[in-house]
Amino acid sequence: MSHAATHDHHDDHHGAPKNFFQRWCMSTNHKDIGTLYLVFALLMFFIGGSFAMVIRAELFKPGLQLVQPYFFNQMTTLHALVMIFGAIMPAFVGLGNWMIPLMVGAPDMALPRMNNLSFWILPFAFTLLLSTLFLPGGGPAGGWTMYPPLSLQSSSLAYVVFAVHLMGISSIMGAINIIATILNMRAPGMELLKMPVFVWSWLITAFLLIAVMPVLAGAVTMLLTDKYFGTNFFNPGGGGDPVLYQHIFWFFGHPEVYIMILPAFGIISEVIPTFARKPIFGYKAMVFAIASIAFLSFIVWAHHMFAVGLPMGAEIFFMYATMLIAVPTGVKVFNWVSTMWGGSMTFETPMLFAIAFVILFTIGGFSGLMLALVPADFQYHDTYFVVAHFHYVLVTGALFAIISATYYWLPKWSGRMYSEFWGKMHFWNSVIWVNVLFFPQHFLGLAGMPRRIPDYNVAFANFNMISSIGGFLFGASQLIFLGVLIHGVFFSKKKATDRVWEGAKGLEWTVPSPAPFHTFDVPPVIHDDELAHGHVND
Amino acid sequence: MTQPMTNHEIDGRRKGVRRTVTILVSVVVAFFLLSFVQIVMMK
């Protein structure tokens, strides 16, 4: 121990740069970059949400009301692309950036400059994507899956492909950074099986990103060369096959679904123990369940393609493999319930969103099981039942977890407490209207209403009207969230304590609130009592 | 409570980061190329 090193050769040790440009555009600080990601995700959430409002307004009544069908198709396509790549994924990366170094006792991310680049690629990618709306020919309208030959007819394909490449590069760099940080930058004594579940969930998610984002890049590159360079990867006229695109897209697309939900599992596994005042039930089982789900996500892709005419053996394999995912997912749900069981529970806003997550995500999981059944899927495929299913998974699942995490860690970030009253108002409005929005869509789908259409049979009118009312009010409820955030960050008079929540455990709660610009320049000593999940080896 | 790190440990971290990044970048390139190979072979 002769060369005790307390400095890491940086000259920026004391505080944030005063210059706005330097602080926010040239930042290498994980907390500032985390904030940038979160603000960007919030902006994209409202832009993607406004597209959803157009969709629901058009579907309020049968017949064409407000927009032309081609513009409607652009809205459904861009809503998905913006929400998936612009809102949900960057929000999780922002949370990871902020919290992973704090949770493992690292001074920053392993590659801080690359971290800056990962973020700053995104605004350019989305400017490129959204600019297509203002071009002659309009934006992409063939669905977010970009299936050929339809997507090849779009005049904006090159813009979309380049935007997707940029998003992919950003995600891959972010994933490399997270893996390098977790594997190399943990404080001595923070063994892998002592890490918080959120960190574990991100480690596994990052490996998924590394494996599948290059495949998406390959798929869209082939689309590009098919359209502009005379190749025939997916053109049957030249010996290609459009179904191959579907295989390769969903080899990316299904793990992508888990990329959007595994960090949510991690968040819920942090929030529930805090407000139940008990260590998480079955820590190791939780970690292994996440790893199992990640593995299974690679062998279920063709359940998105049951209706294209796969061989029977393949359909049966993909059906059973898909149903198998219910096992580790069930382990997680039962462990969350067991963590709450007998706990000394309180119901602050983050906990309310976490409980809503457990219940509503499970509903989304069950409708997923229904869709996994080949004969049933033949009926449900491409109907509103599928729309209801994945919105339960992604809105009441991923989005509710992100909101829960925001309320949970906001006092640590800003040093101020948000308004609990308005937080609860946000929760109750969200949870009521999101069900009014999406639950009737199950009935619409079962009755045969196809997805991605601007007009429909009058038989579907009532449920569509109810769904649209739910949509408008759910959208409006998110303005409460915006208000709570602005108040909680800038105006709240109530200062946050270091630990913030009585039952909170983990290294992030040992630093002051707001977290100083630099933390853990010298690694902390790890005490088992301080870990969220107690003594895991007992 | 903090625990100072030796220069040796800091060097170890640096090498570890470099090794991790090298391996992961190779995996990314391999998967990218694999997607083309897979399509060409299945055609």
Side-chain angles (χ1 to χ4, degrees), chain A residues 1 3-5 110-111 172 176 179 184-186 188 210-211 214 217-218 221-222 232-233 239 244 248 522-525, chain B residues 1-7 9-10 12-14 16-17 20-21 24-25 27-28 31-32 35-36 38-40 42-43:
Chain A
M1 199 72 90
H3 302 291
L111 303 146
I172 288 167
I176 290 176
I179 295 172
N184 298 289
M185 304 286 284
R186 301 191 312 279
I210 296 279
T221 305
M222 284 181 257
N232 291 297
F233 288 110
L244 288 182
I248 206 159
V522 181
V525 175
Chain B
M1 285 271 284
T2 55
Q3 45 179 336
M5 289 179 79
T6 63
N7 283 343
E9 284 169 320
I10 290 171
R13 269 189 175 182
R14 208 166 284 146
V17 169
T20 311
V21 172
L24 294 177
V25 170
V27 173
V28 168
F31 271 84
F32 180 69
S35 62
F36 287 87
Q38 200 182 350
I39 287 290
V40 171
M42 285 170 75
K43 262 171 62 161

Side-chain angles (χ1 to χ4, degrees), chain A residues 237-416:
Chain A
D241 185 352
V243 175
L244 288 182
Y245 176 85
Q246 296 189 25
H247 278 291
I248 206 159
F249 179 86
W250 287 112
F251 182 80
F252 146 80
H254 199 76
E256 170 68 20
V257 174
Y258 291 93
I259 286 164
M260 289 188 283
I261 204 65
L262 294 185
F265 290 168
I267 289 164
I268 301 306
S269 303
E270 299 299 322
V271 172
I272 287 179
T274 294
F275 296 99
R277 292 167 179 78
K278 275 174 69 189
I280 187 108
F281 185 90
Y283 167 80
K284 283 183 183 169
M286 291 300 249
V287 172
F288 292 135
I290 295 174
S292 310
I293 294 169
F295 169 74
L296 290 171
S297 76
F298 283 107
I299 55 166
V300 296
W301 77 87
H303 67 215
H304 297 270
M305 303 165 54
F306 284 152
V308 300
L310 298 175
M312 182 59 80
E315 295 204 326
I316 288 173
F317 169 80
F318 283 108
M319 175 172 81
Y320 282 118
T322 304
M323 291 168 75
L324 207 56
I325 296 181
V327 177
T329 311
V331 167
K332 300 197 75 64
V333 172
F334 283 118
N335 280 2
W336 288 321
V337 174
S338 306
T339 305
M340 289 187 268
W341 186 263
S344 179
M345 286 171 54
T346 50
F347 299 94
E348 288 86 345
T349 311
M351 182 62 160
L352 290 174
F353 273 101
I355 293 171
F357 171 98
V358 174
I359 297 166
L360 298 175
F361 173 79
T362 304
I363 292 177
F366 280 138
S367 58
L369 266 178
M370 293 168 71
L371 288 163
L373 301 167
V374 175
D377 184 73
F378 279 180
Q379 184 190 337
Y380 306 150
H381 186 81
D382 256 347
T383 68
Y384 258 81
F385 191 83
V386 181
V387 179
H389 156 69
F390 68 72
H391 280 94
Y392 265 87
V393 173
L394 290 176
V395 178
T396 60
L399 180 65
F400 272 28
I402 290 166
I403 295 172
S404 172
T406 307
Y407 283 116
Y408 184 57
W409 284 312
L410 187 73
K412 178 56 64 189
W413 303 336
S414 70
R416 301 167 199 264

Side-chain angles (χ1 to χ4, degrees), chain A residues 168-202:
Chain A
I169 291 167
S170 165
S171 294
I172 288 167
M173 289 199 297
I176 290 176
N177 216 340
I178 283 171
I179 295 172
T181 304
I182 296 172
L183 294 187
N184 298 289
M185 304 286 284
R186 301 191 312 279
M190 176 61 79
E191 294 153 22
L192 283 176
L193 276 175
K194 287 186 177 178
M195 295 194 310
V197 183
F198 177 67
V199 179
W200 259 112
S201 69
W202 241 122

Side-chain angles (χ1 to χ4, degrees), chain A residues 439-467:
Chain A
F439 210 82
Q441 294 181 4
H442 290 109
F443 306 133
L444 287 170
L446 291 175
M449 177 170 162
R451 57 189 289 208
R452 293 170 170 154
I453 52 162
D455 188 9
Y456 50 82
N457 190 302
V458 287
F460 304 130
N462 289 348
F463 280 132
N464 266 299
M465 189 177 279
I466 293 168
S467 181

